[in-house]
Amino acid sequence: DPVYADEAPLVNGYEILNKYFDKLIESNPLVLAFGEDVGQIGDVNQGFAGLQAKHSKQRIFDTGIRELTIIGQGIGMAMRGLRPIAEIQYLDYLLYGLQPLSDDLATLHFRTCGRQSAPLIVRTRGHRLEGIWHSGSPLGMIINSLRGMHVCVPRNMVQAAGMYNTLLEGIDPAIIIECLNGYRLKEKLPVNLLEFRVALGVPEVIREGRDLTIVSYGSTLRIIEEAAQTLEQLNVSVEIIDVQTLLPFDINHLILESLKKRNRILFVDED
């Protein structure tokens, strides 16, 4: 679990990621990060701000505006033993890199009977809760076309850091979809950024309740938490479950156990 000092500072979500990536690049010589605007300006949401100047253009660099080749570069690097983090600037644009993701990356380990792996991490951001052509949430497309990859949907940036840590210990490819409207929300900064892990496929109960179970992920959880507080005033007690990953999905059936206790369940999916 993340560990917090007694006087843990409250910082912006992007600052947590920035401190995390700084420590990660420094400690793991196999990690590289690249994509549109990742290098010189430190990505559009400042997760890599200042890190190219500190760690070199060989470790953190910009690419052209072409998602197809960003994914191709990432697959090649990962197959050769590196641990690349390939950034797709917004989740909607994953569509333009979908062919190699679906045809090559998601299937490589299985097509080769386990003889080859490409543990590429695709970093992106979405579910801003607005927009069709920009900052949207095409997750139906993703979970149905990318079987064989982890699809991680952290609700905040501390959770995201824990997921990166978990993925970097394994050999499976993954997509991490950070909350686009969470970069400037305040979070407590853990002292063990590189050490804590978030288990994949294991939901978390983030609010206990007796009358109704609500299951969701990502930015949508903040709306649900507000609704739960309103319902509490009406004497309706809501349990909220964050699925944390869409692939794999609830491998220990925690959601089912919650349903058995209440017999009422609501799935809230922004897509």
Side-chain angles (χ1 to χ4, degrees):
D1 290 337
V3 174
Y4 298 96
D6 291 338
E7 301 298 324
L10 275 174
V11 299
N12 292 314
Y14 79 86
E15 294 177 280
I16 287 175
L17 287 175
N18 187 264
K19 292 179 188 300
Y20 170 73
F21 288 132
D22 185 19
K23 291 176 180 290
L24 177 64
I25 296 288
E26 193 170 59
S27 65
N28 190 334
L30 297 178
V31 173
L32 305 95
F34 57 96
E36 298 163 20
D37 293 320
V38 174
Q40 186 172 346
I41 70 168
D43 95 42
V44 288
N45 294 101
Q46 300 296 282
F48 282 93
L51 299 188
Q52 185 186 72
K54 181 176 180 179
H55 297 290
S56 84
K57 292 181 179 179
Q58 282 69 47
R59 302 290 301 279
I60 303 165
F61 55 92
D62 291 317
T63 66
I65 305 175
R66 189 155 177 80
E67 289 75 16
L68 191 69
T69 59
I70 293 171
I71 298 301
Q73 283 176 273
I75 293 172
M77 291 177 185
M79 288 181 72
R80 285 157 179 79
L82 299 172
R83 298 307 304 243
I85 299 173
E87 180 162 317
I88 300 297
Q89 193 163 101
Y90 296 107
L91 182 59
D92 318 59
Y93 306 146
L94 195 74
L95 179 66
Y96 303 107
L98 191 64
Q99 185 269 323
L101 284 170
S102 176
D103 216 29
D104 299 305
L105 186 60
T107 63
L108 176 69
H109 188 71
F110 309 98
R111 283 189 288 114
T112 61
C113 298
R115 289 192 295 273
Q116 287 184 301
S117 295
L120 170 64
I121 297 176
V122 178
R123 178 186 183 227
T124 186
R125 54 197 62 83
H127 35 249
R128 189 179 176 182
L129 309 176
E130 61 183 66
I132 298 173
W133 291 283
H134 194 290
S135 312
S137 193
L139 283 160
M141 172 192 79
I142 291 166
I143 63 175
N144 286 290
S145 61
L146 298 181
R147 303 281 173 174
M149 295 182 64
H150 295 301
V151 178
C152 303
V153 282
R155 66 181 180 270
N156 58 40
M157 304 312 162
V158 170
Q159 292 293 102
M163 290 177 181
Y164 282 111
N165 286 333
T166 302
L167 291 167
L168 286 164
E169 288 189 334
I171 59 168
D172 294 313
I175 297 174
I176 292 188
I177 304 163
E178 297 165 7
C179 295
L180 184 53
N181 56 3
Y183 289 114
R184 295 190 179 274
L185 297 181
K186 301 295 183 182
E187 299 182 41
K188 289 202 311 188
L189 178 66
V191 297
N192 60 336
L193 273 174
L194 290 181
E195 285 75 46
F196 73 93
R197 308 284 183 268
V198 173
L200 306 179
V202 181
E204 181 182 352
V205 177
I206 60 174
R207 181 187 173 104
E208 302 277 353
R210 65 178 183 273
D211 298 317
L212 167 70
T213 297
I214 302 182
V215 182
S216 193
Y217 60 88
S219 296
T220 316
L221 286 163
R222 288 195 285 277
I223 295 173
I224 293 167
E225 288 181 289
E226 291 176 13
Q229 292 171 12
T230 302
L231 288 168
E232 194 73 50
Q233 298 167 11
L234 303 172
N235 200 32
V236 177
S237 176
V238 173
E239 179 151 301
I240 302 174
I241 296 178
D242 176 7
V243 298
Q244 304 204 97
T245 61
L246 294 172
L247 288 176
F249 188 87
D250 190 14
I251 58 176
N252 297 320
H253 310 299
L254 181 144
I255 295 169
L256 178 60
E257 293 307 311
S258 181
L259 174 59
K260 285 179 180 177
K261 296 174 187 174
R262 293 162 194 85
N263 292 316
R264 297 183 183 89
I265 195 162
L266 174 66
F267 290 88
V268 180
D269 174 28
E270 185 209 345
D271 196 19

